[in-house]
Amino acid sequence: MTATETIIQIEDLTKIFYTDEIETHALSGVHLNINRGEYVAMSGPSGCGKSTLLSIIGLLDTPTGGRYTLNGKEVANLNFADRSRIRNQEIGFIFQSFNLIGDLTVAENVELPLTYRAGMPSAERKRRVQESLERVNMAHRMRHYPAQLSGGQQQRVAVARALAGSPSILLADEPTGNLDSKNGEAVMKLLQELHSEGATICMVTHDPRFAAHAERQIHLFDGKVVAEGELNKLLAEVEA
Ligand SMILES: Nc1ncnc2c1ncn2[C@@H]1O[C@H](COP(=O)(O)OP(=O)(O)OP(=O)(O)O)[C@@H](O)[C@H]1O
Ligand SMILES: [Mg+2]
């Protein structure tokens, strides 16, 4: 493993959503390289394409144009089974809207992605569920349902679910969005630990204090990656 090996390589990526008569250009030519083991924070105004980009990086959605190479393989050439396997075994998600399943308990939610892993014994799954819930201080709520938890607690369960699979790539969309500063810092500490264990992390955050935890900060504006100075200028123009 070398420090400069590119794990995520994105060239001229575009994404257009078609709804009724409207075309939304969510991504308009994104260029981005992320090295293995790197910790990147992503920011930019609401609607600029951050979640869309994370979904494509995480193989949950496909681009309209451009090229995405993950781990040296062009994603467009992967078949359905390869995509599912990579998503399940290598990628962890913390979604902006948690995506917890209401009919499952906290423990079952955390265990769910592990049940798709061929060959992981039940005892190993239970051990990981326990350990990851302990890491986010939610082990005492194992048998609760998501609706019985506060927003911040649901967020922590979503973090535990992502950690349980020991992903090599963690994609986090506003992982601290619903947390007070103490819990937000606790999540940052977990991401830092995962990072020091070698994981590649891409985190969307609006909060510069949290972004400061990353090694590199990138900024999106109108579906493109822009430099920090450029972003500030564009935002000043928008606000004027
Ligand atoms: N499934 C979809 N169908 C149609 N349009 C969509 C869809 N998903 C996103 N968009 C549009 O694409 C653009 C980018 O959305 P995206 O969710 O990536 O923004 P974002 O940067 O994550 O914003 P926020 O900070 O508010 O979460 C927006 O204009 C949004 O309305
Ligand atoms: Mg978003």
Side-chain angles (χ1 to χ4, degrees):
M1 193 166 94
T2 59
T4 52
E5 188 188 345
T6 304
I7 186 165
I8 290 165
Q9 187 176 15
I10 285 171
E11 293 160 84
D12 203 20
L13 201 80
T14 58
K15 178 68 181 182
I16 304 173
F17 289 108
Y18 298 91
T19 37
D20 302 324
E21 323 272 84
I22 306 165
E23 267 187 21
T24 306
H25 292 251
L27 299 174
S28 311
V30 170
H31 295 273
L32 176 65
N33 282 339
I34 298 178
N35 291 330
R36 185 181 298 282
E38 203 173 13
Y39 186 172
V40 176
M42 198 189 289
S43 72
S46 179
C48 72
K50 303 178 299 293
S51 296
T52 304
L53 182 57
L54 276 200
S55 297
I56 293 173
I57 293 177
L59 310 182
L60 290 170
D61 203 350
T62 49
T64 310
R67 192 207 289 254
Y68 172 25
T69 311
L70 174 62
N71 249 329
K73 291 201 188 91
E74 200 174 331
V75 166
N77 297 335
L78 297 175
N79 63 30
F80 184 79
D82 285 336
R83 290 172 67 96
S84 308
R85 184 184 45 75
I86 294 170
R87 201 165 48 222
N88 182 239
Q89 303 200 343
E90 309 218 14
I91 301 175
F93 280 98
I94 303 168
F95 294 96
Q96 198 167 11
S97 51
F98 326 141
N99 286 16
L100 298 175
I101 298 173
D103 295 340
L104 299 181
T105 64
V106 162
E108 288 164 347
N109 264 285
V110 175
E111 187 177 0
L112 186 67
L114 303 177
T115 63
Y116 299 120
R117 296 245 181 132
M120 187 183 286
S122 168
E124 165 73 6
R125 292 204 305 266
K126 302 282 185 272
R127 189 188 64 73
R128 287 184 179 225
V129 168
Q130 178 76 34
E131 188 191 294
S132 59
L133 283 171
E134 276 169 11
R135 282 177 92 170
V136 299
N137 272 327
M138 284 298 295
H140 62 303
R141 290 285 185 271
M142 290 244 271
R143 284 175 224 300
H144 281 59
Y145 288 88
Q148 300 169 324
L149 304 177
S150 72
Q153 289 173 332
Q154 291 181 45
Q155 181 77 311
R156 277 143 68 194
V157 173
V159 171
R161 180 181 54 187
L163 295 178
S166 319
S168 59
I169 301 173
L170 182 74
L171 305 173
D173 204 345
E174 292 278 356
T176 53
N178 290 281
L179 302 178
D180 57 26
S181 60
K182 182 165 156 274
N183 282 306
E185 280 303 331
V187 168
M188 285 300 113
K189 196 161 157 274
L190 284 173
L191 297 196
Q192 198 65 55
E193 279 171 30
L194 212 61
H195 171 58
S196 61
E197 290 161 16
T200 307
I201 300 181
C202 190
M203 168 180 74
V204 170
T205 180
H206 284 111
D207 191 326
R209 284 170 306 172
F210 293 135
H213 287 261
E215 295 167 306
R216 176 156 66 111
Q217 298 187 28
I218 64 165
H219 307 279
L220 257 73
F221 190 87
D222 259 357
K224 283 197 175 73
V225 174
V226 296
E228 182 164 17
E230 208 181 333
L231 177 76
N232 291 336
K233 207 169 125 226
L234 289 163
L235 287 174
E237 280 168 20
V238 171
E239 279 155 19

